[in-house]
Amino acid sequence: QVQLVESGGGLAQPGGSLRLSCAASGFTFSSYAMSWARQAPGKGLGWVSGIYSDGSDTYYADSVKGRFTISRDNAKNTVYLQMNSLKTEDTALYYCAKGPPLKGLASYDYWGQGTQVTVSS
């Protein structure tokens, strides 16, 4: 049974930082690319970042590039999203998903339950 469990969300000030984690199980984690997506209140689901299986290739949406960093620890079956210089516009429910960064959200076959990030002054 494939499971993706996000954690690390919470409340941050504008300009602050949070680190999200996604623990994966039920598949050979090291063989697959992983991505992060988010859904803000009243907005559709948007892709945020992705990383290929060995961690050597990373990709970011323009809205987060330079502020967020995706990484993974294959020994721990975990993918991370380090979020720095947070903006109120980053407030959203963040999901991790199993799938390549540039293929589009519809191609991702498994999703976590989401972790809430709120950025507020």
Side-chain angles (χ1 to χ4, degrees):
Q1 177 66 43
V2 171
Q3 289 190 320
L4 301 172
V5 181
E6 301 96 333
S7 62
L11 178 65
Q13 305 283 342
S17 297
L18 286 172
R19 189 195 195 201
L20 307 184
S21 298
C22 174
S25 60
F27 65 100
T28 305
F29 179 77
S30 62
S31 296
Y32 291 91
M34 298 292 294
S35 293
W36 288 93
R38 65 186 181 184
Q39 187 166 27
K43 303 289 186 180
L45 192 65
W47 175 79
V48 174
S49 185
I51 186 167
Y52 280 111
S53 61
D54 66 355
S56 62
D57 297 304
T58 59
Y59 299 88
Y60 301 92
D62 289 342
S63 58
V64 307
K65 191 173 181 64
R67 301 188 297 118
F68 291 9
T69 303
I70 191 170
S71 62
R72 66 192 294 160
D73 186 340
N74 284 344
K76 295 182 177 180
N77 285 3
T78 302
V79 61
Y80 304 94
L81 187 68
Q82 178 67 46
M83 305 185 295
N84 297 328
S85 302
L86 284 164
K87 304 175 179 180
T88 56
E89 304 94 274
D90 296 319
T91 295
L93 187 63
Y94 283 72
Y95 298 92
C96 69
K98 175 175 172 284
L102 304 178
K103 289 286 191 176
L105 299 178
S107 72
Y108 301 168
D109 52 357
Y110 293 98
W111 295 76
Q113 83 288 352
T115 186
Q116 179 67 41
V117 170
T118 301
V119 184
S120 177
S121 60

